Every structure is written in structure tokens, then in C-alpha cells.
Amino acid sequence: MRSLIDILDFSPEELQELIDTANDIIEHPAFYSDKCRGRKLATLFYEPSTRTRLSFEAAMYELGGNVLGFSEANSSSAAKGESVADTAKTVSCYADIIAMRHPKEGAPLVAAMNASIPVINAGDGGHNHPTQTLADLLTIYREKGGFENLTVGFCGDLKFGRTVHSLISALSRYKGLKVVLISPVELKLPSYVKKEVLAARSIPYIQTTDLESIMPELDILYMTRVQRERFFNEEDYLRLKDSYILTPEKLKNAKQDLAILHPLPRVNEISVAIDDDPRACYFKQVLYGKYMRMALILKLLKEAGRL
Ligand code: CP
């Protein structure tokens, strides 16, 4: 059974196929409005979400399908101690496809190993968030026309920011990528990502704490919030939370065609004064996420023989 647990589960050709489908949905929404009639998506969210859960639900409704699920662990039998494996087997009796968010790294993989329907990782702890990467890729594709020869700056919480880990993996397969890692020392990109992705593919990268000096080099600036929910110590969070705040002043030396992305939610790391700058792409990213999730649901249901 084909699932999406890690963005590398899909080849670059398959990602392009999803981008092409999403672009076609944007152009011809009526053609897709009945494709999932009679099919059900289960959204199993053990952690808070606005964009991912609601965009999955909107995606399924716009395909003519239905949605069931829960939005917090406490309203499911997880509160009584039910395992992820048993939950996946149970939900396989009710739905055609699952989107799961869980605070524990690897939980969606356990679900996929036990479900008889496709499982989509909608974010697992500080590990991966492949469907956010689908939204990021469509945004980059529409802004830049492709993925080659880009210098991409990742700024903020690179340690716990699962969207960063997934996007670096996805971009690592395209030619000419240069990566700039901008973070406080305490929130550097985990060594396993540097070793298994950047070093393994000989991708040039630099690590710095200084956003402004590197700004003129960047084609893409991917801002992230400091992930309060992953800290063991509130004092550390308070000390680090405002390490980077992007303001119009800090964009003075940026390229005119820079694309500013952020997976959202935003806390304080991008000033609202930037929202009207044509380089701000983060609300487009939200919309593109819905179209990519529509394309993904179609692909996985087709491969599972459920469409
Ligand atoms: N980007 C993202 O995952 O947002 P939510 O946590 O609101 O789903």
C-alpha cells in the first residue's frame, strides 16, 4: 500500500506529476469536483493544526468526498491508551485514506505499517512534514519556474522545524542547490540531516547566525518560528524566540525577486509590514497547500485502486 511518510517516498518525477495536477486543478476546478464522490478521508490529529487539517478537509470536500476524524488525542480512544497501530486498523474499516499528525516521530509510519489504506504523514514531532513540503514546492515552482540553481536560506528553528528537514530533503535532488542555514547555535540543523542529506549529496552549505549579511545572496528565504512545544525548558524558549524578526529594513539588500516563504503559523518572526511586499509568498503557500493535497489524495487513492 502506497503512503506518504517521507517526501523522499516520491521521486522528482512523481513530485512534478503532483505539481502538474495541482496546476491543472487551479485552472479547471470543476473537472475535479466529483472525482472522490463516495470516498472518505480520515483526519487523525493528535496535535493542534489549522492549515494542515483544514486544507486536507477542504481538499477532500472540493474533490466531492467526505471527511471524518478527530482534532485532538483527548477526543479519541488514544486517551484510554489505544495504540496508533490499533487506531490505524480500526480507521481502515471506516475510511479510504488517512492523514495523521502526531507528536511522536515515526507514528505515521507505524500507522502505515498497520493500515490497509494509504496513510499521509501530516507532521510527526520534530521530524518531517512532507505535505507542507508539497505546498512549498508548488510555491517555489510558481515563483521561480523550477528548482535548479537556487540559493535557499532557512532561518529560525532549524533543529525542531520539521518543515525545514523535509524541504531540504526534497530540494537536495535538484542541480545547483546552495543552502544557507541561519539559526541560533542552540537551534542548528540536526547533524543527521547535514550528514544524510547535505553531505551525502555534496550540497554546498554554510551555517551562520547573521541573516542580514547573507540576505543579498538568497533566491528563497524560508522563515520559521521557534517551536515552543518541542522545548523542555520555557526559559530557553523565551531567550530564543525572538532571535530573528524579519522587517522591511532587513530586506533592504535583498534581491528584487526574492521569494519569502514561511510554513506558518507565524508568531513574531515576520513583521506584518512585510505582508504587502510582493516578495511575501506565505499566504499563497497556504492556498497552494490545498491544491497539492488534492493532487496527493487523487494519486494515492488511484494507486490504492479506490478511484
Ligand atoms: N504549516 C502547518 O503545518 O500549519 P498547521 O500547524 O496550522 O497545520
Side-chain angles (χ1 to χ4, degrees):
M1 182 64 55
R2 193 89 192 271
S3 286
L4 174 60
I5 303 302
D6 186 304
I7 195 67
L8 297 179
D9 292 344
F10 285 173
S11 68
E13 292 73 26
E14 286 179 304
L15 293 178
Q16 188 59 50
E17 178 199 315
L18 290 176
I19 288 169
D20 293 344
T21 303
N23 279 326
D24 200 53
I25 294 170
I26 292 168
E27 293 296 316
H28 309 288
F31 178 75
Y32 293 88
S33 64
D34 214 29
K35 293 277 183 199
C36 287
R37 179 73 53 208
R39 302 276 77 88
K40 283 173 278 181
L41 164 73
T43 52
L44 312 184
F45 277 59
Y46 296 78
E47 257 195 350
S49 167
T50 296
R51 275 146 296 273
T52 310
R53 186 171 65 83
L54 297 185
S55 69
F56 263 116
E57 296 189 0
M60 194 54 164
Y61 286 127
E62 289 188 27
L63 291 166
N66 291 300
V67 178
L68 66 165
F70 52 82
S71 59
E72 52 177 329
N74 278 342
S75 64
S76 77
S77 283
K80 302 176 209 160
E82 185 165 54
S83 68
V84 165
D86 283 0
T87 302
K89 285 179 188 160
T90 301
V91 175
S92 297
C93 301
Y94 307 143
D96 298 283
I97 187 166
I98 291 171
M100 174 183 280
R101 169 168 291 186
H102 202 287
K104 281 202 181 131
E105 286 84 357
L109 176 61
V110 171
M113 289 162 64
N114 287 278
S116 55
I117 57 177
V119 174
I120 300 167
N121 178 1
D124 62 328
H127 188 216
N128 279 323
H129 193 348
T131 66
Q132 178 61 48
T133 303
L134 297 181
D136 303 340
L137 290 176
L138 182 58
T139 309
I140 294 170
Y141 188 81
R142 288 175 72 97
E143 294 297 315
K144 297 286 171 194
F147 304 110
E148 294 192 352
N149 302 315
L150 293 174
T151 298
V152 183
F154 293 89
C155 179
D157 184 349
L158 309 189
K159 179 178 180 185
F160 297 119
R162 58 194 175 195
T163 66
V164 170
H165 309 158
S166 290
L167 183 56
I168 288 178
S169 289
L171 291 175
S172 71
R173 297 184 293 187
Y174 300 96
K175 281 187 199 143
L177 175 70
K178 289 184 192 151
V179 170
V180 183
L181 303 169
I182 309 137
S183 74
V185 172
E186 295 93 328
L187 298 177
K188 279 174 154 173
L189 191 73
S191 311
Y192 81 89
V193 183
K194 280 184 262 185
K195 192 172 158 209
E196 292 171 20
V197 182
L198 296 175
R201 293 182 185 268
S202 304
I203 292 163
Y205 72 93
I206 58 166
Q207 297 187 101
T208 176
T209 54
D210 182 5
L211 172 60
E212 276 167 277
S213 68
I214 203 74
M215 188 71 86
E217 312 291 321
L218 303 179
D219 300 305
I220 310 276
L221 172 58
Y222 195 91
M223 294 295 294
T224 61
R225 83 185 156 92
V226 175
Q227 307 263 310
R228 180 181 206 155
E229 64 274 32
R230 314 261 177 245
F231 275 73
F232 293 111
N233 178 335
E234 180 75 358
E235 262 173 42
D236 287 345
Y237 168 73
L238 293 174
R239 183 168 51 80
L240 294 168
K241 72 184 175 71
D242 290 330
S243 298
Y244 300 97
I245 300 176
L246 190 64
T247 58
E249 174 71 12
K250 289 184 183 153
L251 285 175
K252 229 174 25 201
N253 296 321
K255 289 184 180 172
Q256 282 310 306
D257 64 348
L258 172 72
I260 304 166
L261 277 66
H262 190 311
L264 304 181
R266 158 175 61 185
V267 181
N268 203 24
E269 55 283 347
I270 300 182
S271 157
V272 292
I274 290 180
D275 293 0
D276 293 330
D277 188 307
R279 294 170 289 190
C281 297
Y282 29 93
F283 287 108
K284 287 186 208 170
Q285 242 173 306
V286 172
L287 181 61
Y288 295 157
K290 180 185 71 175
Y291 294 119
M292 285 301 266
R293 290 180 176 108
M294 289 172 80
L296 176 65
I297 290 168
L298 287 170
K299 178 178 173 62
L300 290 179
L301 286 179
K302 260 186 218 148
E303 291 195 20
R306 286 176 179 259
L307 274 192

